[in-house]
Amino acid sequence: MPQHLTLLLDCPVLIAAIFICSIGGTFQYGFSVSVMTSPSFFIKELVNKSCVHRYDRILKEWEVSLIWSFTVSIFCIGGLLGSLMAGSLSSRFGRKHCLLLNNFLAIFGAILMLLSRTANSFEMIMVGRFLYGLNAGVGLSAQAMYLTESAPKRLRAMVGVTIATSLSFGKFLGQLLGIRELLGTEKNWHWLLGFNGFTALFQLCTLPFLPESPRYLLLERGNVQASENAFRKLWGKNDYNKEVVEMLEEKAALQSVRSCSVLELIQNRTVRWQLLTIVIAFTALQLCGLNAVYFYSFEVFRAAGIQEQRLAYAALGTGLCEVSTSLACFMIIESIGRKVLLFRGYMGMAAALGLLSVTVYFQKTVWWMPYCSMVLVFLFISFFSSGPAATTVSLPGEILTQSFKSAGYTLGCTVNWTCLFVLGTVFPILVGNLGNFCFLIFLAVCLICGLHVKFNMPETKDRTALEISVEFERMHAKDKASEKKKASEIKVQETKL
C-alpha cells in the first residue's frame, strides 16, 4: 500500500472530515450544475402553466427560453456573490462555522424547490437556484480552506483532490437521479431539485462533531492549545509537532501582517506571480473547453449510432469517467506532484481539442470518425479530471501564506464564477458562428495555462507556503535582475545624452 494512503488511513477523523465537508460543499456545486438538464421540460411547462393561470396568456417559445435561461444562469450570479463573501466570512467566523451557517442557504433553497410545483410558481425555482448559487460560492472556498488547513503537509495535495472528486460525484449523481427510472419524471422532478437540502441537513447534523481548522486556530486566532487539540483529534496518533513548529515560524515571519483583503492582495508586489498563477488557473478551469466537449458529445454519440432515448445513459458514461479519473488522481498526486499533473493535463486537453475539431468536422463523411471522436471526448475528460479539476481549487491554499489565503480563495473563486457566467452567455454565440472550430479558442487557453505552469510555477509537493513563496522569488529573480540591468542601461544612456 502507498505510504501516503497508509498515513491517511491512520487519520480516521480526517477521512470523516473529508466526507462531511464534501457532501455539503462542492458536492452541492456539482449537483446543481448537472441537475437542471433532466427536468427542463417540466420546468418550462410549469412556466407556461403559471402564466396561463395568472394572466390567461400562453407564452411564446422565445419567452419561455428566456425565463429558462435566466433560471439556469442565476445560479452563477449567486455563486459569484457567495465567493465574494466567503473570504471575510471564513476569517470572521472560522472555516467550520462558515460551512455550518452556509447549510441554511441550501435548506431554504430546497424548501422553495419542493413547494414550487404545489404553489405553481417558477419564481420559487429562480430564488431557490440563487440560494443554491450562494451556498456553492461560499462552500467552494470554505471547504477548500478547511480541508487543506487540516491535512498534514504530505497529504495536502491528496486531500485537495477530494474537493474535485466530490464535485465530479455531485455532477454524476445529478445525471443519475435525473433519469426517467428515478426522479426525472413529471411526478418527482421537484424532489430532484430539492435533493440539495438533504445533503445540507446531513452536514448540519455531523459537522459540529469535527474541530475547527488547526491552522486557523493558531495563525489567525493565536490559540496554540486549541490548535494542538484540533491536530490531535484530526490526526490521531500521528506526530503533528513539526507542523506546529512550521506554523509558528510562519506566524513569526508574518507577525505584523494581518489577514489581507482582495485589494491588498492585488496591490502587493511580493505575491504578484502567485496572484497571476491563481487568476490564469481559475480562468482556464472554466474556459478550457469542457462545456464545448460535453455539448458536442451528444452530437458525437448520435453520429455513432446511439438512439435519442439512450443519450442520457451515454452522458452518464462521461460523468462516470470524470469521477473514476478523479479517484485515480487521488492515488497518484502525492507521488507525481501538482505541477506535473497541471502541465500534462492542459497539454493533453489541447491535443484532444485539436484532434476533435478535425474528427467532428469529418464525422458525417467518414464512417469511423464518430468513434474517434468518442475516444477523444473521454480522453479530454480524463485529462481534465486528473489535471486542472483535481489541482486548481485548492491551489490558493498551497501557494499563499496564511495572511493571503482568504483573499486568494475569494479572488480565485470570483474569477471561476465570472468565467462560468460569461461562458454560459457567450458559448451559444460561439457555437452558432464557429461550429466545432470553437474548440480552437479553448485550445489556445489550454496552451497558455499549460506553458505558464511549466515556466512560472514551482512544484508544491511536500513544501510549506513559505518555502513555495521563496521558490517563486527564486524562479523570477532573473526577471528582476534583467529589469534592474535595463534600468541601469537607460540611466547610462540618459547621462550620455
Side-chain angles (χ1 to χ4, degrees):
M1 187 179 292
Q3 188 177 3
H4 293 100
L5 189 58
T6 304
L7 179 59
L8 181 63
L9 292 174
D10 286 338
C11 308
V13 178
L14 180 61
I15 295 172
I18 292 169
F19 177 74
I20 292 168
C21 289
S22 297
I23 204 71
T26 48
F27 173 88
Q28 303 275 43
Y29 178 7
F31 190 86
S32 297
V33 166
S34 67
V35 76
M36 292 296 280
T37 304
S38 174
S40 59
F41 174 80
F42 306 117
I43 295 171
K44 290 175 183 177
E45 197 176 58
L46 177 67
V47 171
N48 250 326
K49 281 172 62 179
S50 300
C51 290
V52 169
H53 179 73
R54 295 179 203 163
Y55 315 114
D56 196 24
R57 177 173 177 260
I58 298 175
L59 295 178
K60 296 177 182 177
E61 188 176 341
W62 71 267
E63 291 175 314
V64 176
S65 297
L66 185 65
I67 293 171
W68 164 253
S69 299
F70 182 74
T71 304
V72 173
S73 60
I74 200 172
F75 174 74
C76 299
I77 298 172
L80 177 59
L81 293 175
S83 64
L84 289 170
M85 298 187 299
S88 58
L89 289 174
S90 297
S91 295
R92 183 176 179 182
F93 298 109
R95 298 12 175 171
K96 173 184 168 181
H97 290 97
C98 182
L99 282 168
L100 276 172
L101 294 171
N102 190 41
N103 287 304
F104 289 105
L105 292 171
I107 292 170
F108 292 148
I111 291 170
L112 291 173
M113 294 292 194
L114 291 170
L115 296 176
S116 61
R117 184 167 172 265
T118 306
N120 199 29
S121 172
F122 64 88
E123 295 90 347
M124 293 173 73
I125 298 177
M126 287 183 179
V127 177
R129 284 285 290 175
F130 178 72
L131 291 175
Y132 281 173
L134 282 174
N135 170 268
V138 174
L140 183 63
S141 297
Q143 178 194 346
M145 280 189 272
Y146 182 87
L147 291 180
T148 54
E149 290 177 0
S150 298
K153 183 174 65 176
R154 292 170 59 194
L155 296 179
R156 204 167 295 150
M158 182 183 277
V159 171
V161 173
T162 63
I163 300 168
T165 305
S166 61
L167 196 154
S168 301
F169 183 68
K171 287 164 68 174
F172 173 70
L173 195 64
Q175 294 171 327
L176 180 63
L177 292 179
I179 63 175
R180 291 190 301 272
E181 288 79 3
L182 295 176
L183 298 178
T185 62
E186 187 177 4
K187 184 180 178 181
N188 296 319
W189 64 265
H190 58 296
W191 289 101
L192 178 66
L193 296 184
F195 186 81
N196 298 62
F198 297 102
T199 54
L201 191 62
F202 173 80
Q203 189 185 74
L204 191 64
C205 295
T206 53
L207 191 58
F209 296 101
L210 297 176
E212 179 56 272
S213 156
R215 285 185 66 87
Y216 171 81
L217 291 170
L218 180 58
L219 296 178
E220 295 196 32
R221 287 288 181 255
N223 193 334
V224 180
Q225 186 59 49
S227 176
E228 289 183 348
N229 290 338
F231 271 127
R232 197 176 296 116
K233 190 170 184 179
L234 285 164
W235 294 13
K237 297 178 181 179
N238 291 294
D239 184 28
Y240 55 83
N241 291 317
K242 186 180 177 182
E243 300 267 348
V244 173
V245 171
E246 287 174 348
M247 284 195 293
L248 289 172
E249 289 174 358
E250 183 178 337
K251 185 177 176 64
L254 304 170
Q255 191 65 49
S256 58
V257 181
R258 57 181 175 78
S259 186
C260 297
S261 66
V262 174
L263 184 60
E264 289 169 329
L265 172 65
I266 294 171
Q267 292 174 337
N268 194 312
R269 292 179 64 84
T270 62
V271 291
R272 63 178 179 175
W273 282 103
Q274 290 95 314
L275 176 67
L276 184 62
T277 300
I278 290 169
V279 170
I280 290 176
F282 276 88
T283 300
L285 185 65
Q286 293 300 335
L287 303 185
C288 64
L290 182 69
N291 288 36
V293 170
Y294 272 122
F295 178 83
Y296 275 99
S297 65
F298 285 94
E299 185 179 321
V300 168
F301 293 148
R302 286 190 193 99
I306 296 175
Q307 296 176 352
E308 195 71 28
Q309 63 268 28
R310 301 291 179 187
L311 286 177
Y313 304 101
L316 280 176
T318 60
L320 189 60
C321 175
E322 196 171 335
V323 174
S324 57
T325 310
S326 185
L327 287 171
C329 183
F330 172 79
M331 303 296 293
I332 63 173
I333 188 169
E334 290 293 352
S335 56
I336 294 178
R338 183 187 300 275
K339 179 178 179 176
V340 175
L341 285 175
L342 263 177
F343 176 69
R344 287 181 183 174
Y346 277 116
M347 290 299 104
M349 288 159 65
L353 286 172
L355 292 171
L356 260 175
S357 62
V358 176
T359 57
V360 171
Y361 182 77
F362 286 109
Q363 70 181 9
K364 291 183 180 179
T365 54
V366 182
W367 69 269
W368 47 267
M369 278 295 178
Y371 304 102
C372 294
S373 298
M374 283 182 68
V375 173
L376 289 169
V377 165
F378 285 101
L379 270 177
F380 179 91
I381 293 171
S382 298
F383 279 121
F384 173 78
S385 300
S386 61
T391 57
T392 302
V393 176
S394 59
L395 189 62
E398 293 270 351
I399 64 177
L400 292 172
T401 52
Q402 191 70 21
S403 56
F404 293 111
K405 276 184 183 178
S406 293
Y409 276 112
T410 300
L411 180 64
C413 293
T414 301
V415 170
N416 174 76
W417 287 104
T418 304
C419 290
L420 183 60
F421 181 75
V422 170
L423 184 65
T425 307
V426 175
F427 181 67
I429 301 170
L430 287 177
V431 172
N433 288 281
L434 298 176
N436 59 289
F437 290 107
C438 69
F439 287 140
L440 300 178
I441 297 173
F442 303 122
L443 185 153
V445 173
C446 290
L447 284 175
I448 290 168
C449 189
L451 292 173
H452 174 81
V453 168
K454 175 71 174 176
F455 296 108
N456 295 309
M457 176 183 156
E459 181 53 73
T460 62
K461 185 175 67 172
D462 293 338
R463 286 177 172 172
T464 64
L466 279 178
E467 291 170 344
I468 294 166
S469 297
V470 170
E471 188 63 19
F472 264 109
E473 289 180 11
R474 188 194 65 77
M475 287 181 71
H476 301 290
K478 295 177 182 178
D479 297 338
K480 294 178 182 178
S482 62
E483 285 175 11
K484 289 179 181 178
K485 187 177 179 181
K486 285 180 183 177
S488 62
E489 287 174 357
I490 292 169
K491 284 181 181 179
V492 170
Q493 290 175 1
E494 287 175 349
T495 51
K496 285 180 180 179
L497 293 172

